Amino acid sequence: STISASAALLASIEAQPAVKLPRFLEELPYPRVRVKHEGELSRKAIRWLLSRLALEQHEFTDPESRWLRAHLVDEDCHELSRILTDLALARGSRADDKWLVYQRAILGSEQQVLTGVEDLEQRVTNNGFARATWTLDVLDRHASPGALYWLDFFALEARSDAVRRAALALLEGTRARLGSAEVQRRVDAGLPSFPFDADGRWRLSEKKVVTLSGAGRVDYVPRKKSAFEAAELAQISACRRTVDRAARWLERAMCEGRTWGREAFAATFERHPIVRVLARPLLFLDEVSSTLFHLHPTGGPREVFGATWSLGSDASARIVHPIHLRGRTTPGGYAELRELLGHFGAPPFPQLDREV
């Protein structure tokens, strides 16, 4: 039934009159765009798809158009998006900006959608608030983990009040549409990452190593910047920004009382290359079993002053705020906790020494 439905839709497109496209798209070298179950789009069908993008103010909200996109092979759409981007950039016209941003939301991969997102606030300072708003809208429409991570980030930490308000309004609408729990799951899954191993080492080459500590310090060996290529130094700078954001995200999660079930906890704290290193000096609490635990460098949770331990299927784990320790430990026990976690280095933010 899916195959016949796809065929019927393609036949209906072929039956429609030819459409006129923006001038710069007339130069498009039409790539192959396959349908997932059978066949591929003709040149005419691709023109129809692109014309719908233009006619609908670039927002691609028409159900029939969205249904067609769902039946197309993702890799082919991503290649079409790359070609369209190159064409628009080569033309260099600001009139194409909105078209360029929105076509990525429909045809592009998550990586293409997130291109340049980190520089969004720079566009605001350069009087490009309209383009910043389009980018936020695209993040909301794409709704992938990476897109929602950045939407959440700008809603909470954008320096521009206007960007923060716009991002928050979109995020609230997404929560109403998908549910708060699903949005938070995607935000967690979208945390940016760099390829650190379990020991906090990222090898750029045999002799070049980037290291990450639990305190969130990013260093590199050899220590001379001249030993690194410009592209490698840019990667290290991007990594430092990512680690700083991850540390703030962890601190905010502690203060807001965020909790994770067993699978979500493992995905976030045991497998994420950056978070698993930052989390080692932190203390956690499973509210269901009232167990204090930490993450051991060899992997997995370990009960405080105890053996290896596993979260239950109904677990509700949280990062301990000092206020949670009232009545759970004595002053002597508090000092012992500090000493135990101190073996794993300084934490990425004040936890046990936090003033309450």
Side-chain angles (χ1 to χ4, degrees):
S1 62
T2 302
I3 292 174
S4 60
S6 298
L9 179 59
L10 292 177
S12 70
I13 294 172
E14 296 296 339
Q16 296 186 32
V19 295
K20 185 175 179 59
L21 292 176
R23 183 175 301 173
F24 80 97
L25 287 178
E26 294 295 345
E27 306 167 14
L28 177 69
Y30 289 87
R32 183 185 186 194
V33 180
R34 291 164 292 174
V35 179
K36 288 180 180 177
H37 302 286
E38 67 168 350
E40 61 185 81
L41 294 187
S42 67
R43 190 182 175 108
K44 182 178 181 180
I46 294 176
R47 290 174 67 90
W48 179 85
L49 178 65
L50 298 180
S51 71
R52 296 300 285 256
L53 273 171
L55 289 172
E56 295 168 25
Q57 296 298 307
H58 325 286
E59 296 179 11
F60 210 68
T61 55
D62 178 68
E64 187 179 52
S65 306
R66 294 183 71 86
W67 192 83
L68 172 62
R69 170 61 184 90
H71 283 72
L72 302 181
V73 173
D74 290 339
E75 291 80 4
D76 293 354
C77 289
H78 301 167
E79 176 62 12
L80 177 58
S81 178
R82 184 193 65 76
I83 291 172
L84 292 171
T85 298
D86 290 346
L87 276 176
L89 292 178
R91 186 166 183 248
S93 170
R94 292 186 62 85
D96 302 327
D97 279 359
K98 187 174 183 181
W99 202 97
L100 178 63
V101 171
Y102 274 93
Q103 65 85 14
R104 285 179 183 162
I106 307 307
L107 301 171
S109 64
E110 182 175 58
Q111 184 177 3
Q112 288 169 320
V113 168
L114 300 183
T115 299
V117 167
E118 190 173 359
D119 301 325
L120 181 143
E121 290 203 289
Q122 187 62 37
R123 299 173 197 156
V124 178
T125 59
N126 291 337
N127 297 318
F129 181 68
R131 187 180 174 93
T133 303
W134 304 336
T135 303
L136 291 174
D137 193 21
V138 165
L139 294 177
D140 179 58
R141 289 174 183 275
H142 203 257
S144 62
L148 290 186
Y149 165 82
W150 280 106
L151 194 62
D152 180 71
F153 170 79
F154 288 121
L156 292 166
E157 297 196 27
R159 293 189 300 273
S160 162
D161 288 342
V163 169
R164 200 161 52 245
R165 288 195 299 270
L168 183 59
L170 288 169
L171 194 62
E172 288 301 322
T174 305
R175 287 187 179 123
R177 186 173 75 251
L178 300 177
S180 296
E182 175 60 17
V183 169
Q184 193 58 61
R185 186 194 69 77
R186 295 190 192 187
V187 170
D188 291 353
L191 284 168
S193 180
F194 283 83
F196 289 99
D197 62 22
D199 296 320
R201 292 186 178 89
W202 165 27
R203 291 191 176 277
L204 297 176
S205 69
E206 186 177 346
K207 295 184 178 180
K208 299 176 184 178
V209 180
V210 182
T211 61
L212 172 63
S213 71
R217 182 180 176 86
V218 176
D219 284 317
Y220 49 83
V221 178
R223 290 295 300 159
K224 292 183 179 179
K225 282 189 175 182
S226 58
F228 294 83
E229 302 289 337
E232 292 172 331
L233 291 174
Q235 277 188 303
I236 293 171
S237 295
C239 177
R240 283 178 169 153
R241 293 192 298 272
T242 298
V243 169
D244 287 344
R245 287 194 295 267
R248 294 197 300 275
W249 174 81
L250 286 168
E251 184 173 23
R252 189 165 61 246
M254 178 189 72
C255 294
E256 293 176 352
R258 280 282 316 281
T259 60
W260 291 265
R262 182 172 64 183
E263 293 305 319
F265 184 89
T268 304
F269 292 95
E270 298 178 46
R271 294 196 288 269
H272 191 281
I274 290 176
V275 175
R276 66 183 174 188
V277 176
L278 298 181
R280 281 176 191 161
L282 298 178
L283 183 65
F284 295 86
L285 169 68
D286 175 26
E287 295 182 327
V288 174
S289 63
S290 296
T291 302
L292 291 171
F293 68 97
H294 64 99
L295 294 174
H296 198 271
T298 58
R302 179 166 293 190
E303 190 175 356
V304 169
F305 307 118
T308 302
W309 173 80
S310 298
L311 287 167
S313 58
D314 59 345
S316 179
R318 68 192 304 164
I319 303 171
V320 168
H321 189 284
I323 200 167
H324 300 144
L325 296 176
R326 290 181 176 177
R328 292 181 181 272
T329 184
T330 63
Y334 201 86
E336 290 176 346
L337 285 173
R338 189 182 292 109
E339 181 181 356
L340 169 68
L341 297 174
H343 292 311
F344 309 118
F349 57 85
Q351 186 189 27
L352 295 183
D353 293 326
R354 195 179 198 85
E355 185 177 348
V356 178

